[in-house]
Amino acid sequence: MPATQKKTAKTSTATKTPVRATKIKTNKSQRKAKAEKPDLGNLNSPLFDTVIDNTEKLAQNAKTGLSYWKAIGDSIIEIRANWIAAGGDIKARGDASFASYRDNSAIGFMSKQDVSDAMLIAQNWSVVTKIDNTESLNGLGVSACKKAIKAAQKPAQKQGPATSATSKKKADAKADTGIDLSSLMTDPKAFGAMIGKLVNSKYTDEQKAAFVKAAGEHIIIKK
């Protein structure tokens, strides 16, 4: 090969097509969040089993077992928390809502009301355990718990300052005996009738006897 041809062969190069770099549309934090997204199936499967187990226990007991309701409520609250952590939006509606996720899960047999009641009892367990007149929490019904919880959540009514209107109401209440108070000291029968009415409405039989005895000891009739 001539020297000129060898030189030309060495210096000539093939034309290469440039390769465009692929642009990643997600940032580092988004990729990390996606990689760390929890597996709802593994997280909620044992919780679903807990709900099912406790609903079966409820069905087997004649009385409503509040401890079972609490266990159900605690599990559903945790199921919802896992669902939110996996990307669920608590404000979503329709197929994207938690209600839809729950209805299509292993606990889809539960009614919306039962789910709500269980979560309410679990969230207000401290109120439930303070309900009086019961030897066992399992003897209480859900309705009794809801009533107690509602009463505990109701803000206490504050008594306003005394006014002429409130003073009049108090005076009217004191005079609500059907007797003219102005005639009491001039009409012994009217006075006795008023006292007797108050004693009958406020005292037990034992207290009535004590009142009669005390009145007899202090009233002096001169002959």
Side-chain angles (χ1 to χ4, degrees):
M1 181 183 291
T4 55
Q5 289 182 347
K6 288 182 180 180
K7 187 176 181 180
T8 303
K10 288 181 179 181
T11 56
S12 63
T13 57
T15 304
K16 295 183 179 180
T17 304
V19 178
R20 296 181 62 184
T22 302
K23 186 177 181 181
I24 299 175
K25 296 182 179 180
T26 56
N27 56 41
K28 184 177 180 181
S29 61
Q30 288 174 327
R31 292 194 297 276
K32 183 179 179 182
K34 186 176 181 180
E36 295 177 351
K37 185 176 290 187
D39 184 347
L40 272 182
N42 290 332
L43 284 174
N44 287 343
S45 180
L47 295 170
F48 288 143
D49 290 341
T50 300
V51 172
I52 294 170
D53 180 54
N54 282 281
T55 52
E56 290 176 351
K57 288 178 180 178
L58 278 174
Q60 293 168 1
N61 285 271
K63 293 183 178 180
T64 303
L66 292 186
S67 58
Y68 301 147
W69 278 107
K70 180 181 183 297
I72 293 170
D74 285 337
S75 295
I76 294 176
I77 290 170
E78 192 171 349
I79 288 169
R80 184 178 62 180
N82 290 336
W83 175 79
I84 293 172
D89 183 0
I90 199 63
K91 296 180 180 179
R93 296 292 181 267
D95 293 340
S97 67
F98 175 67
S100 177
Y101 167 74
R102 189 188 67 242
D103 288 341
N104 290 284
S105 71
I107 59 172
F109 60 89
M110 292 188 68
S111 70
K112 181 180 179 181
Q113 186 62 55
D114 285 346
V115 170
S116 176
D117 289 345
M119 294 176 71
L120 181 69
I121 289 174
Q123 290 168 332
N124 295 276
W125 188 243
S126 60
V127 176
V128 174
T129 55
K130 292 178 181 177
I131 298 176
D132 297 328
N133 302 323
T134 179
E135 294 180 359
S136 170
L137 287 176
N138 290 346
L140 286 176
V142 174
S143 58
C145 294
K146 291 169 68 175
K147 185 177 180 180
I149 292 169
K150 185 177 181 181
Q153 292 175 340
K154 187 177 181 180
Q157 293 183 349
K158 294 182 179 180
Q159 186 175 357
T163 62
S164 58
T166 56
S167 298
K168 186 176 184 302
K169 287 181 180 179
K170 290 181 179 179
D172 291 343
K174 290 180 180 179
D176 188 20
T177 58
I179 301 171
D180 183 3
L181 295 179
S182 63
S183 65
L184 287 180
M185 301 314 295
T186 59
D187 188 343
K189 288 186 178 181
F191 180 72
M194 185 198 75
I195 295 298
K197 187 175 181 179
L198 290 173
V199 168
N200 281 328
S201 64
K202 300 295 182 182
Y203 285 173
T204 63
D205 288 344
E206 185 179 348
Q207 290 173 323
K208 291 174 186 177
F211 171 79
V212 171
K213 181 179 179 182
E217 291 175 351
H218 289 84
I219 296 175
I220 302 172
I221 300 177
K222 296 180 180 180
K223 295 183 180 178

